[in-house]
Each structure stands twice: as structure tokens, then as C-alpha cells.
Amino acid sequence: MENEEDPVKRQQILDARARNISHNVRCLECGSQSIEESQADIAVLLRKLIRDEIRSGKSDKDIYKKLEDDYGETILYAPKFDWQTAAFWLSPLLIAGAAGGIWPYGRHRQRTNVHLLALNLTRGVPLTPKRKGNHVGHSYPSTFRNTPNIAMVETLAS
């Protein structure tokens, strides 16, 4: 009984390994399917090649290496990380980091841009309601206090 189950169990393990490898290999003809899902002729041949390689005792890593050597790196769904692909792999992190730094800096500049506020006040541009609430009760330097535009803005603000 043990001898009957042993070949069956070995065949199940071989099939599971072959399916696992096949799910990670892109069909060269379809492009968007793995060779496990595809019914193209090349997919059928690659599935047979993978099963033959497993029967000959090769490891998964050796099989992936052989497929990559024969068909190029694009046959694998997960390309390896090396210096050539580092920019590809790290670009989302770089973009997120730049956005994460620029956005708070812009918000900070927007809130603390006193020079533009002072320039607008000297030109007679009225304060927005939000800015009025922030600046009520603040005194302006004496050089600005005597200009007609500031006096007009101060009377509008009160």
C-alpha cells in the first residue's frame, strides 16, 4: 500500500511545484496571462519543459534561471532587483517621498508668507475673512501705519 501512495504523492508534489512555477512565468504569446492560464502553443510547451526539468531533479531557482536565460527577463512576472532595475523599483518611494516633503513645505509657506501679506496690505488688498481673524489686534510697524492704504484696510477690518 505504501508503494502505491508514494508515486501518487510524488506526482502530486511535482504537479504543485509545476503549477507554482507556471503561475510566475508570463506567456510570451499572450503577455497578460501566465503560462498556467494560457492555452497558447508556447505555453503548453513551456509547461511541459518545466515538468521535465522538475523530473530531472532541478530546483525551482534553476528552472527560473534557465527560462530567464533562454527567453529573457521579461518572461518572469517578478523581475529581479539589481542596479539596472533599481530606479524602476525605487521610483514609487522616491515620488512618495518627494510629494510627502513638498506638500507640507507648501502648506507651511502658505501659512507663513508674511511678506506677501504685508505687500498686499500696502497695496490696499483687503484681508480674507480667515486672515482678518488671524490679524485683528496686531499692530503694524509705524512706517506702514501712516500710509493711506493701511489706514483704509484697518478701518475696513474694524
Side-chain angles (χ1 to χ4, degrees):
M1 189 80 179
E2 202 173 293
N3 290 339
E4 290 177 17
E5 290 179 7
D6 193 44
V8 171
K9 196 169 203 167
R10 240 184 308 172
Q11 185 63 34
Q12 289 174 344
I13 292 171
L14 181 135
D15 289 341
R17 276 185 64 198
R19 278 193 304 276
N20 184 37
I21 293 171
S22 296
H23 278 294
N24 295 318
V25 177
R26 184 185 322 267
C27 177
L28 297 173
E29 193 172 312
C30 305
S32 62
Q33 290 182 322
S34 68
I35 61 170
E36 185 67 25
E37 300 162 345
S38 176
Q39 295 303 316
D41 292 338
I42 186 76
V44 173
L45 290 172
L46 286 173
R47 285 195 302 261
K48 184 179 180 327
L49 173 77
I50 289 171
R51 290 182 194 287
D52 291 343
E53 294 290 324
I54 291 173
R55 282 191 192 103
S56 69
K58 292 195 176 173
S59 69
D60 292 1
K61 192 174 185 177
D62 292 337
I63 295 170
Y64 286 129
K65 180 74 173 141
K66 177 178 176 37
L67 289 170
E68 187 178 349
D69 290 344
D70 291 348
Y71 298 100
E73 190 176 329
T74 57
I75 197 165
L76 302 179
Y77 270 118
K80 61 184 177 186
F81 182 83
D82 60 6
W83 287 108
Q84 292 175 342
T85 59
F88 171 73
W89 285 105
L90 297 176
S91 61
L93 295 174
L94 295 173
I95 291 169
I102 291 171
W103 183 70
Y105 178 72
R107 298 277 297 162
H108 169 74
R109 292 273 303 178
Q110 185 180 17
R111 288 185 184 155
T112 60
N113 205 346
V114 178
H115 301 295
L116 283 179
L117 179 64
L119 185 61
N120 285 341
L121 289 174
T122 58
R123 291 179 180 164
V125 176
L127 291 172
T128 62
K130 183 179 176 184
R131 297 259 190 211
K132 278 184 190 177
N134 291 342
H135 295 287
V136 171
H138 291 283
S139 61
Y140 297 104
S142 59
T143 56
F144 289 126
R145 199 179 287 266
N146 298 331
T147 60
N149 291 337
I150 291 297
M152 184 177 73
V153 171
E154 284 180 343
T155 57
L156 290 175
S158 23

